[in-house]
Amino acid sequence: ETGVTQTPRHLVMGMTNKKSLKCEQHLGHNAMYWYKQSAKKPLELMFVYNFKEQTENNSVPSRFSPECPNSSHLFLHLHTLQPEDSALYLCASSQVQASDYEQYFGPGTRLTVT
Amino acid sequence: GIQVEQSPPDLILQEGANSTLRCNFSDSVNNLQWFHQNPWGQLINLFYIPSGTKQNGRLSATTVATERYSLLYISSSQTTDSGVYFCAVERDDKIIFGKGTRLHILP
């Protein structure tokens, strides 16, 4: 596969469930990102990992827990979510060198919390 | 922080028409990207254009960094161009997206 892949593409979960979103990039990039896109809101940057180290956490609730085991994989672990967490979750990657931050996005996971 | 404003917020055009989408930003930035989000949510990278002009088929973009704006031109619109167009800027390792322009091309 090429580019950035995300699984699952759709997820319905109850508020007491625990699930994980997976992102994999096949571009040889060294930075990965999680974004949240809610209805009628701009894209919100949630987490940034550079060289597997978390460099940004934009005041995201602790019910969202990221994990970056290597520069190609990024997970978002979900537990005790709320209905307002229903959104499209997008993963992106980039090769961060000098001042280059060109991002490539995966297809997203559409999450519904019931 | 940097403010990113896109205009117009919504645009409805007939197939074959041309359009210009604008992205203004409130401070100097290191990088700027244009994306197209299709109706299925996929964000497609259109241009990486911190400055200057680029063209790719019917699409072109110009960023005038000194005046803090970027323009995306779409010529001879097709229904497949429908969706939301976002610009995103980067400065000090922070990436900020605009709210997007929703484009609807009528057949």
Side-chain angles (χ1 to χ4, degrees):
Chain A
E1 291 197 73
T2 59
V4 182
T5 58
Q6 289 186 242
T7 55
R9 296 292 308 276
H10 300 272
L11 178 62
V12 179
M13 60 185 288
M15 290 190 285
T16 58
N17 292 158
K18 290 184 180 181
K19 297 286 184 183
S20 296
L21 310 185
K22 179 182 176 182
C23 176
E24 184 173 359
Q25 59 95 3
H26 309 268
L27 300 168
H29 289 166
N30 56 19
M32 297 186 77
Y33 311 77
W34 277 118
Y35 286 87
K36 175 184 178 182
Q37 188 178 32
S38 304
K40 300 182 180 179
K41 285 188 177 180
L43 275 148
E44 303 170 59
L45 180 62
M46 300 174 73
F47 301 104
V48 181
Y49 278 82
N50 284 342
F51 296 97
K52 302 186 300 177
E53 298 296 323
Q54 188 180 126
T55 58
E56 189 151 347
N57 175 342
N58 279 343
S59 303
V60 181
S62 59
R63 57 186 184 269
F64 295 91
S65 174
E67 178 189 1
C68 188
N70 55 61
S71 57
S72 299
H73 294 85
L74 184 65
F75 295 89
L76 188 62
H77 303 300
L78 316 171
H79 64 96
T80 59
L81 294 191
Q82 304 298 312
E84 60 264 28
D85 296 321
S86 298
L88 179 67
Y89 289 85
L90 290 156
C91 172
S93 71
S94 68
Q95 181 66 16
V96 178
Q97 54 190 21
S99 58
D100 186 348
Y101 280 81
E102 185 172 8
Q103 295 198 326
Y104 293 82
F105 280 81
T109 295
R110 192 163 295 281
L111 173 68
T112 302
V113 181
T114 60
Chain B
I2 293 178
Q3 305 298 312
V4 180
E5 294 184 2
Q6 291 187 243
S7 60
D10 297 279
L11 187 57
I12 301 174
L13 296 172
Q14 207 69 40
E15 196 169 25
N18 301 329
S19 59
T20 300
L21 282 57
R22 188 176 182 102
C23 173
N24 290 336
F25 39 98
S26 60
D27 206 342
S28 61
V29 298
N30 297 326
N31 299 291
L32 186 144
Q33 274 188 272
W34 281 99
F35 297 92
H36 173 215
Q37 188 170 37
N38 65 24
W40 297 272
Q42 173 81 56
L43 270 166
I44 309 297
N45 189 347
L46 296 178
F47 293 103
Y48 180 73
I49 186 166
S51 64
T53 297
K54 291 186 178 180
Q55 180 154 9
N56 184 2
R58 296 181 296 102
L59 273 62
S60 64
T62 295
T63 296
V64 184
T66 53
E67 297 187 22
R68 300 177 186 168
Y69 73 88
S70 184
L71 301 173
L72 177 68
Y73 305 96
I74 305 173
S75 63
S76 305
S77 300
Q78 300 175 0
T79 55
T80 51
D81 295 330
S82 295
V84 183
Y85 290 80
F86 291 100
C87 77
V89 302
E90 180 274 324
R91 173 177 162 162
D92 298 334
D93 299 345
K94 294 195 181 296
I95 298 164
I96 302 105
F97 276 76
K99 294 183 178 180
T101 291
R102 185 172 297 276
L103 178 63
H104 188 49
I105 304 298
L106 301 173

